[in-house]
Amino acid sequence: MIKIKRKRIIFISSNEPIPTFRRKIELLNRRTEYEVYLIHWHRKKSLINMPMTTSLHVDQTVKITLPDPYGNLLRRFVYTVFFGASVIWKIIKIRPDIVHINNLDMFISFSFLKLVKHDLKFVLDLIDTREDFLKGKMLRLAKFSMRFMDFAFITAPLYYEKYLKIIDPELSKRSVAWVPNAPMRRDFDGLVKTPHRGLQLGYFGFLRGADSINMLSEILAELNLKGQKISILFAGIGIEKPLVEQLADKYSFVKYFGPFNYTNVRPLYEQIDIVYSVYLLDHNKKIHMSCRLSEAINCNLPIIVQADSYQAEYVQKYDIGYVVKYGQKQELKTLLKRIYEHPQELDSKAENCASIKHEHVFENHAGKILDSYNELLNK
């Protein structure tokens, strides 16, 4: 019997890989024609480390433990060089056919290897964007590295026109595929809400934006004083974790679950009536589509998002939630008061979520991922 040599794929992540990145890993690892490896940076004592589980064997996972690189430029440079050297050594040892890298900064760091190994395929997984790559020397560096990109997955449709095409105007749309930050069907299929009193919001994922979190807690304090039982459940990790813990100690209507992964996220969504996803916009947040959006849609839960963003346009187009301006306390307070007094208006938005759910289920995008890999390897 002839043994067919499996194609080797290395996934590289600058942090514990987020769920949408891990789902691609799991999808390809289940295929007999691929041999999959994961190399990732585990940041010691970092507030942005998230719990992670995969089905990869211990021999397929390389965890490089280093301190968090954020800080002065020298600190970032030193730790990035250590990480880069470790990754390159593993690439030399494993000898992959495809290197699949999350985000452009990491892609720039390793794409030059194609100058040494011309048949090595590089896949960019654009999960977030950075505005500094759209101007000056950084733009020229990004443009140079894009010469080595064989394919790109993007988590928001606007990442093609509003980001990649600015860097490389000649980039063909055939070299790019949209795969949203979507959950697996089993994650939320058949979800049943837990009965509770009042209105409960959910703020899940990366905890950011102290001003927004403080403003929301102030609004809820004022509404609760008037007898309107509105609470918020926080869950996740991030730079504002200490603030959230402090607010949970101070107010009975603020709860903090702690970090979560996809083995325990379903019960969180069962407890809430609406998803809260409002934070200060940067270039990335104006054009992205968050995990929270896809998860809310899968749970038939309306979502509150920031105005002047692609997410806001999407929410308004399909009438699946609400749009508020960042920092507008009275606008948000009026909205929450209205929803509390007229909760039936959430029902129509939940029905609208169900009508577009098919676009936000990972399995419905698996075919384009596998087709892209087959085409890359058969070039």
Side-chain angles (χ1 to χ4, degrees), residues 111-125:
S111 59
F112 73 90
L113 291 173
K114 193 152 187 168
L115 293 171
V116 180
K117 194 173 188 301
H118 303 295
D119 58 345
L120 184 59
K121 309 292 185 182
F122 278 91
V123 174
L124 168 63
D125 208 321

Side-chain angles (χ1 to χ4, degrees), residues 112-275:
F112 73 90
L113 291 173
K114 193 152 187 168
L115 293 171
V116 180
K117 194 173 188 301
H118 303 295
D119 58 345
L120 184 59
K121 309 292 185 182
F122 278 91
V123 174
L124 168 63
D125 208 321
L126 195 59
I127 296 168
D128 290 306
T129 64
R130 279 177 46 180
E131 191 174 10
D132 53 348
F133 285 120
L134 297 181
K135 52 195 174 185
K137 294 179 180 179
M138 297 293 277
L139 172 59
R140 291 193 288 274
L141 180 62
K143 188 178 180 69
F144 177 77
S145 72
M146 291 285 283
R147 298 167 51 197
F148 308 125
M149 189 194 82
D150 295 284
F151 199 82
F153 293 106
I154 55 177
T155 54
L158 287 189
Y159 281 2
Y160 174 68
E161 289 288 346
K162 300 291 186 181
Y163 196 74
L164 292 179
K165 282 283 282 185
I166 295 174
I167 296 171
D168 182 3
E170 297 181 6
L171 180 65
S172 168
K173 204 164 188 176
R174 293 182 61 187
S175 300
V176 179
W178 172 55
V179 177
N181 284 305
M184 302 288 286
R185 184 176 289 107
R186 66 172 182 266
D187 291 334
F188 300 110
D189 197 31
L191 179 141
V192 178
K193 287 174 60 176
T194 303
H196 57 266
R197 293 180 59 194
L199 180 72
Q200 178 142 288
L201 284 65
Y203 186 132
F204 304 150
F206 193 76
L207 306 175
R208 61 164 72 85
D211 291 343
S212 178
I213 293 171
N214 278 320
M215 186 186 75
L216 178 60
S217 65
E218 290 170 8
I219 291 172
L220 296 187
E222 293 169 11
L223 291 173
N224 274 270
L225 276 176
K226 295 181 179 180
Q228 292 161 331
K229 301 298 182 184
I230 307 178
S231 58
I232 184 160
L233 173 63
F234 287 95
I237 46 90
I239 55 176
E240 302 304 342
K241 178 175 175 282
L243 172 61
V244 170
E245 291 173 327
Q246 179 185 342
L247 292 172
D249 289 337
K250 182 178 180 181
Y251 297 116
S252 61
F253 53 80
V254 177
K255 305 166 190 171
Y256 177 52
F257 174 83
F260 68 90
N261 60 29
Y262 274 77
T263 61
N264 60 2
V265 69
R266 183 188 182 104
L268 298 176
Y269 279 95
E270 290 176 338
Q271 299 177 54
I272 66 172
D273 303 293
I274 190 164
V275 175

Side-chain angles (χ1 to χ4, degrees), residues 46-91:
S46 172
L47 288 173
I48 64 173
N49 280 341
M50 64 181 69
M52 184 195 78
T53 56
T54 73
S55 63
L56 296 180
H57 189 270
V58 64
D59 293 338
Q60 296 171 269
T61 304
V62 179
K63 181 170 75 171
I64 300 171
T65 302
L66 290 167
D68 196 312
Y70 289 105
N72 61 57
L73 287 176
L74 178 60
R75 174 188 174 91
R76 180 176 295 192
F77 175 77
V78 169
Y79 291 138
T80 300
V81 167
F82 271 109
F83 179 73
S86 301
V87 171
I88 291 171
W89 171 247
K90 291 297 180 182
I91 289 174

Side-chain angles (χ1 to χ4, degrees), residues 310-368:
Y310 176 67
Q311 283 204 148
E313 294 176 14
Y314 193 88
V315 166
Q316 290 174 320
K317 177 180 179 180
Y318 294 105
D319 191 21
I320 55 172
Y322 305 91
V323 173
V324 295
K325 291 182 179 178
Y326 183 84
Q328 297 298 310
K329 182 177 178 179
Q330 189 56 48
E331 180 185 5
L332 180 57
K333 183 178 179 180
T334 301
L335 172 63
L336 294 177
K337 183 175 182 291
R338 191 185 85 217
I339 296 173
Y340 177 81
E341 293 173 347
H342 305 283
Q344 63 276 10
E345 72 177 64
L346 298 177
D347 296 338
S348 63
K349 298 184 187 299
E351 291 173 5
N352 294 337
C353 286
S355 70
I356 59 170
K357 189 181 296 186
H358 62 280
E359 284 191 358
H360 295 270
V361 175
F362 179 79
E363 288 91 332
N364 293 341
H365 296 270
K368 73 176 79 167

